Amino acid sequence: MLRLMIDRLSQTSLCGRCRDWGPSLPLVVLATCVSVLAPESLYAQATKPAAAVSRFEDKTLVTKDGIPLKISYFAGKKGKDTPVVILLHGKKGSRQNFNSSLAPFLNDAGYAVVTVDLRGHGETPLVPGPAVAPGATKNNAPQLKPRDYQAMIPGDLEAVKKFLYDEHMAEKLNMSKLAILGADFSTAIATAYTELDWSKIPWDDAPTVAARTPRGQDVRALVLLSPEGSIQGMNTAQSETAVRILGLPVLIGVGSKDTADKGAAKKLAEKLNPDKKDHIYLETYEGGLRGTGLLGRKLKTEDHILAFLDKYVGKSTIEWRDRRSRLER
């Protein structure tokens, strides 16, 4: 699977020197490849949006195991050139942590945004059945078991990806320009889904892997706020290794007095960036806030997130393409 991920990445987002290797791209070349298209300064390049005026639409998706997944969708305005961001809340949180702050901020900057109530949080129940009534305060997060966290990846995130596929095929966004933000426990969900997304085998509709229509390989960047070192039932080491091998850009944010996550954040940054390249960013924010608590506090967290996304997703030159198999068109 990692071989496939490397082959796909070499044909899409690596520098020209590395693309010339094609499917035989050596790991040593991949490890030393740095994007030559990115501007030198990260935060000087962000295009700050005007005051948030965006509107969203609440939707209910159904996961393959029958969970009614509640999301809010902030549609983009650039048609099939629109990049997209998925925002995942932290423990005892919900999509409402983003809907009046970061989501409209990014949407006004040109991104389509999906905020998600992961199973057992917000208005999404932990088991199949009706959604939780809007405004309800009951939160099922303490009842989650390892299997529930595991199910968020092929269940919740795959349901969101299917929704994005439909929007992509309607030419309302470009799902190949996708970023995911996770907060505390959901940082593990974000990295694990990235591994799953890049391991999907393309449609067998062309003689070579590079020419085949992809079914995944869409996650291009990650934002991880207060990443936790371990999650019940999750092999975080495996997914982090996949992100490192792929060379995907990652922005890690953590509070300067957050004793629970500061060490894990530093360790993760070192693991993802052993050669000190410039695609991994570790930002420390004053105070002991964690996860989504780092937002809306005038800590410049939102500005850093926007600058990072603009550099690696918003300004991406990846073109929209029909994602159906050529054999079915």
Side-chain angles (χ1 to χ4, degrees), residues 75-229:
K77 303 175 180 64
K78 299 179 181 178
K80 62 182 182 180
D81 291 327
T82 303
V84 57
V85 185
I86 300 172
L87 303 181
L88 304 177
H89 57 77
K91 290 178 181 175
K92 299 184 180 181
S94 74
R95 70 191 195 279
Q96 303 305 331
N97 294 130
F98 304 111
N99 281 3
S100 61
S101 55
L102 182 61
F105 178 77
L106 295 177
N107 186 236
D108 289 342
Y111 294 82
V113 183
V114 178
T115 63
V116 185
D117 280 352
L118 294 166
R119 63 184 62 200
H121 296 78
E123 295 175 19
T124 299
L126 189 56
V127 296
V132 179
T137 58
K138 182 179 179 180
N139 192 291
N140 296 322
Q143 302 176 18
L144 266 66
K145 296 179 174 58
R147 65 173 180 269
D148 299 315
Y149 292 109
Q150 295 167 1
M152 292 176 183
I153 301 157
D156 303 5
L157 269 294
E158 276 290 81
V160 174
K161 185 70 180 296
K162 175 58 171 61
F163 170 75
L164 294 179
Y165 172 87
D166 293 339
E167 291 294 290
H168 175 94
M169 293 305 298
E171 301 189 11
K172 295 179 180 179
L173 54 79
N174 185 345
M175 64 189 283
S176 296
K177 299 180 179 183
L178 173 62
I180 304 178
L181 178 148
D184 54 74
F185 90 90
S186 67
T187 59
I189 307 302
T191 56
Y193 185 75
T194 299
E195 180 190 9
L196 172 64
D197 182 61
W198 275 88
S199 68
K200 293 177 180 178
I201 299 174
W203 295 111
D204 188 11
D205 59 0
T208 65
V209 173
R212 293 171 185 169
T213 304
R215 295 193 301 130
Q217 300 86 51
D218 293 306
V219 182
R220 299 287 165 170
L222 292 168
V223 178
L224 308 177
L225 301 179
S226 307
E228 295 188 355

